[in-house]
Amino acid sequence: AKIVPEIMEKAAKLGVEIILPVDFVISSKFGEDGEIKETTKEAGIPAGFMGLDCGPKSIEMNAKAVMESKTIIWNGPMGVFEMARFEAGTKTLMDAVVKATEAGVITVIGGGDTATACK
């Protein structure tokens, strides 16, 4: 986490946009039986909760970025896609990547979890 500001600064100098989530789906348990709600970057994730997927605004931002891309390198799911309540970020991103690829965008999918999510 200490190098994040350095990475963001370098990206800005090079004109590279790094898209980070602005909202989250959170739960009081690692599972679908906890208290599940949404929060924003500004509000933060309260004590006793964990972020398990990106929220609707982040999903929209990611899909827009994919559709504007010429090359996509996707390594890692957006959330805990194995649980239905936390799969939206990954599944929506996958749909956008498929659509972009069908339109001629070069796509590379890496990582075991990402490949599993795309099955």
Side-chain angles (χ1 to χ4, degrees), residues 46-70:
F49 281 79
M50 60 190 83
L52 298 178
D53 199 5
C54 53
K57 288 182 184 175
S58 298
I59 288 171
E60 185 179 310
M61 288 172 32
N62 291 333
K64 181 178 182 291
V66 164
M67 297 315 294
E68 293 173 353
S69 296
K70 294 179 184 172

Side-chain angles (χ1 to χ4, degrees), residues 26-47:
I26 62 174
S27 179
S28 61
K29 292 183 178 180
F30 187 77
E32 297 178 276
D33 59 338
E35 179 185 354
I36 300 170
K37 56 187 182 177
E38 292 181 10
T39 190
T40 64
K41 178 178 73 170
E42 293 77 22
I45 297 175

